[in-house]
Amino acid sequence: MDRGPGAASRSSSGTKMSCPNYKRRRVLEVLANSLRRGQAVFTWVVVVATILLWSCRPQVPLRPVVTGDDPSSKTTAYLISRGNYLLPGAALLLDYPRRKFNLDWARPLVDTVLAKLSDPKEFATVGVFARMVDPVPARALKPSITQTIESFRPIPTTYAVLQGLYCDWAPPPAEFRTFLLEDKASLKHWRVSSLVALAYLKANGCLQESDWSGIATELLVRYRVFLDEIVASQAPPGAEFVETVGGIFFALGGSYVKDAWAMYLIEHQRPDGTWNEAGASGSDADDLTAAWGLLAILEYTHPQAGPVPVIPSEA
């Protein structure tokens, strides 16, 4: 399945409104009854119904992931076990596979992070990434988004992602393309960050198709070499390998991912469903790596899943 940029994307499937919570359905029943009876509490019921039904959003048809000892279930179990200790970045990242593969278990992890945004201190550190999940909290950043992004320039990985995430609000500087294409292989998480930035640039309409294809081709050629070398060496994949494969799925699609990369990732999964952050050194699992690994596994094992927006719309 290794094709170059420009390959046709998979066809999308329909979406449906899913409100599985029986309490929401009960509110609708009460609402209808109060309207028929002309009760004075009708206005109050409307308010309650609005609040409870707010979270009913379009979802793709359920694509069940088998529970048990399969690779995706093992990583799922790890991420759930992390609970409130899960890194906020990993929780926000999970919203994309949650929407695409209907992962109900991920919603509480995402909501936990969003709930913290009412705290000014939390918003200062996490709020800038809220647009990955919900565009509403990010509106507060719009007047000062250029300065906010610039404050992250000393952190190239975050700076790249934010330039893509908000490029429709604040166009990146002219030199950003050169910055994105610079070889920063020694910088941890750079490969996946550059791919995420590319995905956001395209999603926000900030790149012409020819520009996107040119950048995608250059990054893919470089990252192919890295991934092929790891597979050939039979070394533990480590975080950079797992995240890069997940990033290619996210930014470019499964048609750009070699079977050998995906299988190598799956075959080297640890028994607890994670991947060793530092190869053979035995260090602790990394939440971000686990989240990217889960995305890669789901994309590879569920190729029939239709596309969803990488950035949720405000509609």
Side-chain angles (χ1 to χ4, degrees):
M1 294 195 299
D2 180 25
R3 305 175 197 162
S9 61
R10 297 190 180 98
S11 60
S12 62
S13 61
T15 60
K16 65 178 180 180
M17 292 299 294
S18 176
C19 299
N21 194 321
Y22 74 92
K23 293 182 180 179
R24 296 177 192 152
R25 293 196 296 270
R26 178 57 182 159
V27 166
L28 287 179
E29 294 171 2
V30 173
L31 179 62
N33 290 334
S34 65
L35 179 60
R36 286 194 296 269
R37 298 172 184 174
Q39 296 175 355
V41 296
F42 176 67
T43 301
W44 176 83
V45 175
V46 169
V47 173
V48 175
T50 301
I51 294 172
L52 290 178
L53 295 176
W54 174 82
S55 60
C56 292
R57 301 175 181 178
Q59 295 182 352
V60 296
L62 180 64
R63 300 177 180 88
V65 178
V66 178
T67 57
D69 199 40
D70 61 285
S72 64
S73 292
K74 288 191 289 186
T75 303
T76 294
Y78 164 76
L79 292 167
I80 292 175
S81 73
R82 293 284 289 150
N84 291 338
Y85 295 99
L86 186 70
L87 289 178
L92 294 178
L93 171 61
L94 285 174
D95 190 65
Y96 175 74
R98 179 194 70 81
R99 290 182 286 114
K100 185 168 186 177
F101 301 101
N102 228 14
L103 307 180
D104 292 339
W105 59 265
R107 182 80 238 190
L109 298 176
V110 175
D111 286 344
T112 296
V113 176
L114 290 178
K116 294 178 180 179
L117 298 185
S118 59
D119 182 338
K121 291 182 180 179
E122 292 286 350
F123 189 87
T125 56
V126 182
V128 72
F129 299 103
R131 200 183 190 194
M132 295 169 57
V133 174
D134 189 339
V136 175
R139 292 175 188 163
L141 297 167
K142 196 167 186 177
S144 59
I145 193 61
T146 300
Q147 298 92 317
T148 300
I149 294 174
E150 191 61 28
S151 69
F152 284 93
R153 187 181 280 270
I155 310 174
T157 50
T158 303
Y159 178 73
V161 170
L162 294 181
Q163 285 288 5
L165 190 58
Y166 294 102
C167 66
D168 54 333
W169 290 3
E175 68 274 11
F176 183 65
R177 176 179 176 135
T178 301
F179 172 85
L180 196 61
L181 290 174
E182 288 175 352
D183 189 357
K184 302 181 182 68
S186 61
L187 185 62
K188 188 178 179 181
H189 307 304
W190 172 251
R191 296 180 182 88
V192 70
S193 297
S194 65
L195 290 165
V196 171
L198 180 63
Y200 289 156
L201 286 167
K202 183 177 183 181
N204 282 326
C206 301
L207 283 178
Q208 298 291 331
E209 183 66 27
S210 58
D211 293 330
W212 175 86
S213 181
I215 296 173
T217 297
E218 190 163 340
L219 292 179
L220 187 59
V221 167
R222 186 181 303 156
Y223 298 162
R224 258 190 196 138
V225 173
F226 164 71
L227 296 171
D228 286 342
E229 287 179 348
I230 295 293
V231 172
S233 71
Q234 291 296 299
E240 292 297 319
F241 182 96
V242 175
E243 293 175 6
T244 302
V245 175
I248 294 174
F249 271 118
F250 179 78
L252 306 180
S255 59
Y256 304 109
V257 176
K258 289 183 178 181
D259 290 321
W261 303 341
M263 290 305 301
Y264 197 76
L265 180 153
I266 292 172
E267 290 167 359
H268 286 77
Q269 183 187 47
R270 293 169 61 178
D272 65 353
T274 66
W275 289 266
N276 200 324
E277 163 66 14
S281 68
S283 62
D284 291 338
D286 177 77
D287 291 346
L288 280 170
T289 304
W292 280 115
L294 177 63
L295 174 60
I297 292 172
L298 291 174
E299 291 279 9
Y300 186 68
T301 57
H302 294 70
Q304 75 280 8
V308 297
V310 295
I311 302 175
S313 66
E314 297 196 36

